[in-house]
Amino acid sequence: MQLTLESLSIGYLQKHEDLVVSDGIQFNSSAGDLVGVIGSNGIGKSTFLRTLAGLQPPLKGSVSLDGQNIAGLSPKDLSRKISVVLTDPIATKNLTVRELISLGRQPYTNWLGTLSREDLTKIDQVLSMLQLENIQDRICYELSDGQLQRVMIGRALAQDTPVIILDEPTMHLDLVHKVQLLKILGSIASELDKLIIFSTHEINLAIQLCSHLLVMNKNGASFGSPDALIQNDSLQQLFPDKEVFFDPKSKSFTFEAAP
């Protein structure tokens, strides 16, 4: 499975003049990759993910899966190709953890929504992968923000799509659980042959744990492996105000201590 972006321009259609958030994005990634989307606040990471998921149209360019433009896919076909978890609140928290994850199987069930043996097996696998078995019968409104975030990721995994898109999946997690979750996502990408793309403010973790990064800044976007982006100075240019700077030796961002 290959995801290709050609000269992608993202933003919002307006009556007189379109609002361009980022322009000329080139991107080529495959199954097995864990891709982190990084950049400062308001740079357009969420807009990029929504465009990638087919939830809003690109201003220019295309998003293609194995050579097919996703704009030509029906909603049902798209739901079997791409699953997405945004930061929007869920419609209901009155479901149990298992019930909410089961919703990910909707693209495959009959009109009654009956779960097959294969569906139930997929749900069990997801509960195990995300270590949710011990809370699978709890009502979602009883969960912490971090637990609920994992359940929403579980719903996307249960959808069993080749591409999984996550907006800030480590939000509400402490450092240990951020690292654990990103390692789990990396394992899922490599072992289950998924392409996982996620936005994050945890830039140092993304540099260490992702196979590829999309670096978004005011001058555009750069895509590549962390090492390639270090070599072409893309990471060094991420925060040009010089309060935060990138150290190529430690492969991390740091700052000067106050005097």
Side-chain angles (χ1 to χ4, degrees):
M1 192 281 307
Q2 195 82 11
L3 177 68
T4 304
L5 312 186
E6 291 285 350
S7 303
L8 188 70
S9 177
I10 62 171
Y12 299 90
L13 299 170
Q14 296 185 337
K15 188 173 183 179
H16 298 293
E17 185 179 0
D18 294 340
L19 174 61
V20 178
V21 173
S22 188
D23 194 27
I25 303 174
Q26 299 288 129
F27 185 118
N28 198 326
S29 199
S30 306
D33 289 342
L34 179 65
V35 180
V37 181
I38 60 176
S40 58
N41 288 339
I43 203 67
K45 298 186 294 296
S46 294
T47 303
F48 171 74
L49 294 184
R50 291 181 64 86
T51 305
L52 208 60
L55 299 176
Q56 67 184 71
L59 299 181
K60 294 179 184 177
S62 63
V63 179
S64 301
L65 280 172
D66 290 334
Q68 183 178 16
N69 193 323
I70 67 168
L73 295 173
S74 69
K76 183 174 183 179
D77 287 339
L78 189 60
S79 71
R80 294 187 176 191
K81 299 286 187 181
I82 299 175
S83 55
V84 57
V85 177
L86 301 177
T87 54
D88 302 332
I90 62 174
T92 178
K93 293 184 180 180
N94 293 321
L95 301 175
T96 66
V97 168
R98 187 179 185 89
E99 288 170 339
L100 184 53
I101 289 175
S102 298
L103 293 179
R105 299 304 300 166
Q106 283 186 337
Y108 310 97
T109 58
N110 59 29
W111 65 277
L112 290 172
T114 305
L115 296 172
S116 67
R117 182 175 298 177
E118 180 183 356
D119 294 324
L120 295 172
T121 298
K122 291 282 186 185
I123 293 164
D124 288 338
Q125 289 173 344
V126 169
L127 289 165
S128 176
M129 280 189 291
L130 293 176
Q131 302 171 7
L132 294 169
E133 304 105 314
N134 62 330
I135 62 169
Q136 63 179 295
D137 296 320
R138 288 180 60 183
I139 306 298
C140 287
Y141 64 70
E142 300 174 344
L143 305 179
S144 67
D145 289 338
Q147 288 173 322
L148 185 59
Q149 185 77 343
R150 276 195 293 149
V151 175
M152 296 300 294
I153 294 170
R155 187 186 69 177
L157 289 177
Q159 201 169 327
D160 198 21
T161 55
V163 180
I164 300 172
I165 295 173
L166 308 169
D167 196 2
E168 294 287 345
T170 58
M171 188 184 298
H172 308 303
L173 300 181
D174 59 37
L175 180 59
V176 171
H177 288 93
K178 290 178 196 290
V179 173
Q180 288 178 348
L181 180 59
L182 292 184
K183 285 185 174 181
I184 289 171
L185 293 179
S187 297
I188 290 170
S190 60
E191 294 173 13
L192 300 183
D193 217 21
K194 307 285 188 184
L195 169 56
I196 300 179
I197 304 167
F198 69 98
S199 64
T200 183
H201 287 100
E202 303 300 328
I203 298 176
N204 286 341
L205 292 182
I207 292 169
Q208 297 178 58
L209 298 174
C210 290
S211 61
H212 295 79
L213 297 172
L214 181 72
V215 181
M216 300 183 69
N217 57 44
K218 293 180 180 179
N219 298 319
S222 301
F223 177 76
S225 68
D227 286 341
L229 293 169
I230 291 171
Q231 291 175 9
N232 66 20
D233 290 340
S234 293
L235 289 169
Q236 290 88 323
Q237 297 173 22
L238 190 56
F239 299 108
D241 58 11
K242 298 185 179 180
E243 289 190 21
V244 177
F245 62 92
F246 185 75
D247 177 16
K249 293 183 179 180
S250 64
K251 296 185 179 182
S252 63
F253 283 89
T254 185
F255 58 91
E256 291 185 1

